[in-house]
Structures are given as structure tokens and as C-alpha cells.
Amino acid sequence: MIPYIKKYAILLVSALILSHLLPNVIMTIWPDLLSRELPGGIVKSLGTGFLFSTIEYLINIAFVVLLYKEMKKENIKSIPILVLTFFSSLMGVLFFLFVVAYEKMGLVKYNRYE
């Protein structure tokens, strides 16, 4: 259980830092990435929040894949944890750790979806 906590703590902190720094780096390199010039001299642009959200969801998809592999290794079948991880990687990892802890303690058998 402790290796999972260490592994996911490091991954979550690095993902949080990456999702905050990467949009700023991208906007520094390509300042006109989120803007488009329309006919008539009108410039339409998206905010950096759009880029931040996109990067955050891509990181969440990476966490879904990683948790799926860990769940397969631990023989845990819980689709709601993967769906929760897509929307919030922190909450998905926390629920995964709770399920693994309950399984290791022998309190609950979580193999319900077969």
C-alpha cells in the first residue's frame, strides 16, 4: 500500500505542476496559438483557461490508463473509479487507494462487475 501512496503522490504533484506550467510555456512559444483572424479585421481568441483545461483532461486520461493497469494487476473491477478519474485525477486516485486498502485489509471484496 505504501508504494502506491508514494507513486501516486509523486505523479499527482508532478501532474499538477505540469498542468499549470505547460500552458504558460506554450503561450510563450506560440503567442497567437489560440487566436484566429476573421475576415474584416476581427480577431477571435480563446483564453488560456481553454488550454489549461485541455491539458488537464489529457493528464486525467493518462491517469485513467495507469489506474486501469493497476486495477487489472490487483484484480479490482470498478468502472466508476475510472470515470471519476477522468473528471478528477485526485479523487479517482483517492478512491482507488481506498479500494486497495479495503481489499488488503480483507474487509470488502470489490469484484462485483464480472
Side-chain angles (χ1 to χ4, degrees), residues 17-31 48-49 51-52 55:
I17 291 170
L18 183 69
S19 69
H20 279 75
L21 288 180
L22 199 57
N24 293 329
V25 170
I26 290 173
M27 291 308 294
T28 302
I29 294 172
W30 297 295
T48 56
L51 188 60
F52 171 75
I55 291 172

Side-chain angles (χ1 to χ4, degrees), residues 54-94:
T54 303
I55 291 172
E56 189 173 342
Y57 278 116
L58 290 175
I59 289 172
N60 289 350
I61 290 171
F63 271 106
V64 167
V65 171
L66 187 63
L67 278 181
Y68 177 72
K69 289 181 181 179
E70 295 286 343
M71 290 170 77
K72 196 171 183 181
K73 185 169 57 173
E74 289 289 329
N75 199 17
I76 298 171
K77 297 176 180 144
S78 179
I79 303 296
I81 290 177
L82 297 176
V83 172
L84 182 63
T85 305
F86 176 73
F87 293 108
S88 171
S89 59
L90 176 63
M91 294 304 293
V93 168
L94 284 176

